Amino acid sequence: MTFTVAPMPQLTVDAAAPERLTQFELDFATKRRQARRGWAIGTLVLVSLFAFSAWIGDFFKITQVTMPDGAREWRWIIPAGLPRLGEYVSQTLPTLRWDSFWSDFGEWFWRWKTWLKLLWETVLIAFMATTFGVVGGFLLSFPAARNLSPNKWVLWLTRRLLEITRTVPDIVWALIFVFCFSVGPMAGVLAIGTHACGALGKLYSEVNENIDMRPLEGVKAAGGTWFDQIRYGAVPQVLPNIISYTLLRFEINVRSSSIIGYVGAGGLGQEFRTAMSFQEYTDLSALFLIILATVIVIDYGSEKLRHKIIGMEDRP
């Protein structure tokens, strides 16, 4: 019996390995330098734009000043009205003393009954406007999504409509509707609702473009129409995000409805206008606290409602 011993495999050393390693290091160093150069250029552009914007907005001025000895030098001058901001804020704060706290507090909120009534009107304006905005934005968001629109012309027209409604500020819409429907909450509802429709339609359409298209293809394969695909394939996927955006928009609309009343569209804005006209500065701080407390309550309730809908109320 004979045994055959297989030859040992020959170990070969790749002479090009050190060169490849060196080339890898060179490429890495080159990309690192390019990244640093990009960050440096981006930072320089950002600082330049900020400085130019501050100069255009009169946040500061660089001017030549003549010194007492006749010499001239360039100086950075802050606008004279900027220090008055602290003075204005101090005028809005009431005088509260420990020995007469409740009487001072009652004098601060001396129109609380009227303010609460107008606050309720403000919340109702925001609620109605949010309802109109959600309905309009929801219906327009599907033809405004690239993956769901029936054709390119419907996509183009829907997107232009949403752009127009959200480009015009809500206070401008309020001025238009006040002219059409006279002074009152109706103008506020239509103004905020029109602006909210454009804003929510944009947000909803972006959510629609991120959905999984396979459920819609299944509905289509089963003979479903375009509306069936939206109803059974798209809406269940986007519903949690739509609820979140809707609750956020309601909070925004409460703040907006308290401002557009300044032009006669109802709500607390009328009181802001009256307080500023008669220079009742402490009333401004009282109204601000009322709106702040309202927004906090709405934010807390919206969070609880959203967590309950998506099933997070029992999570730590």
Side-chain angles (χ1 to χ4, degrees):
M1 180 180 295
T2 59
F3 296 93
T4 303
V5 179
M8 296 293 293
Q10 299 293 328
L11 297 178
T12 59
V13 178
D14 190 356
E19 295 180 0
R20 288 201 300 267
L21 181 60
T22 303
Q23 186 63 36
F24 173 78
E25 293 176 347
L26 291 176
D27 294 341
F28 179 78
T30 302
K31 292 181 179 180
R32 190 173 182 179
R33 286 195 301 270
Q34 292 176 351
R36 289 179 177 178
R37 189 182 303 111
W39 276 102
I41 295 174
T43 303
L44 180 61
V45 171
L46 179 62
V47 172
S48 301
L49 290 176
F50 178 81
F52 181 73
S53 301
W55 178 64
I56 292 296
D58 286 337
F59 186 79
F60 67 86
K61 293 181 178 180
I62 300 177
T63 185
Q64 198 173 37
V65 179
T66 303
M67 305 302 294
D69 57 357
R72 293 185 177 184
E73 62 179 26
W74 293 95
R75 285 193 177 182
W76 178 14
I77 298 178
I78 299 177
L82 190 60
R84 297 185 59 187
L85 178 61
E87 178 183 352
Y88 182 84
V89 173
S90 64
Q91 291 180 358
T92 63
L93 301 178
T95 301
L96 300 177
R97 297 176 293 267
W98 284 110
D99 54 349
S100 58
F101 177 80
W102 291 111
S103 61
D104 294 339
F105 187 82
E107 184 179 355
W108 187 17
F109 287 86
W110 65 289
R111 283 173 56 84
W112 65 273
K113 293 183 179 179
T114 303
W115 291 342
L116 289 182
K117 181 180 178 180
L118 292 175
L119 175 64
W120 178 243
E121 182 178 289
T122 298
V123 174
L124 291 180
I125 291 174
F127 178 78
M128 290 296 296
T130 304
T131 302
F132 291 152
V134 168
V135 173
F138 181 79
L139 295 177
L140 294 175
S141 66
F142 297 105
R146 293 186 181 275
N147 56 336
L148 299 178
S149 184
N151 56 68
K152 63 178 182 179
W153 293 109
V154 173
L155 174 67
W156 189 88
L157 291 174
T158 308
R159 290 202 167 193
R160 300 297 84 77
L161 178 61
L162 293 176
E163 289 172 358
I164 293 173
T165 54
R166 72 173 180 271
T167 298
V168 180
D170 48 9
I171 194 168
V172 177
W173 284 120
L175 290 171
I176 295 173
F177 289 122
V178 164
F179 177 80
C180 297
F181 299 96
S182 184
V183 176
M186 182 67 176
V189 171
L190 294 177
I192 300 177
T194 301
H195 189 270
C197 176
L200 289 176
K202 170 67 173 178
L203 295 175
Y204 293 166
S205 64
E206 291 179 351
V207 173
N208 294 336
E209 291 179 349
N210 294 324
I211 64 174
D212 185 3
M213 295 298 295
R214 287 175 295 182
L216 282 77
E217 294 173 357
V219 175
K220 183 178 180 180
T225 62
W226 182 83
F227 294 98
D228 293 332
Q229 297 176 46
I230 299 300
R231 169 63 182 85
Y232 299 103
V235 173
Q237 298 186 59
V238 301
L239 191 58
N241 287 328
I242 287 180
I243 293 174
S244 179
Y245 285 134
T246 300
L247 295 175
L248 174 61
R249 191 66 202 185
F250 175 62
E251 176 188 331
I252 296 174
N253 288 344
V254 170
R255 298 195 297 269
S256 299
S257 60
S258 63
I259 297 301
I260 64 170
Y262 194 87
V263 296
L268 279 176
Q270 299 175 357
E271 289 296 307
F272 274 105
R273 182 174 184 176
T274 303
M276 296 185 68
S277 300
F278 291 96
Q279 296 183 354
E280 297 289 346
Y281 297 114
T282 55
D283 289 357
L284 293 176
S285 60
L287 292 169
F288 170 76
L289 289 180
I290 290 175
I291 296 176
L292 177 62
T294 304
V295 171
I296 291 175
V297 171
I298 292 175
D299 180 64
Y300 180 78
S302 300
E303 181 182 0
K304 291 296 183 181
L305 178 61
R306 183 172 61 87
H307 287 177
K308 185 175 182 179
I309 292 175
I310 65 178
M312 288 184 59
E313 70 276 7
D314 296 330
R315 299 181 186 180

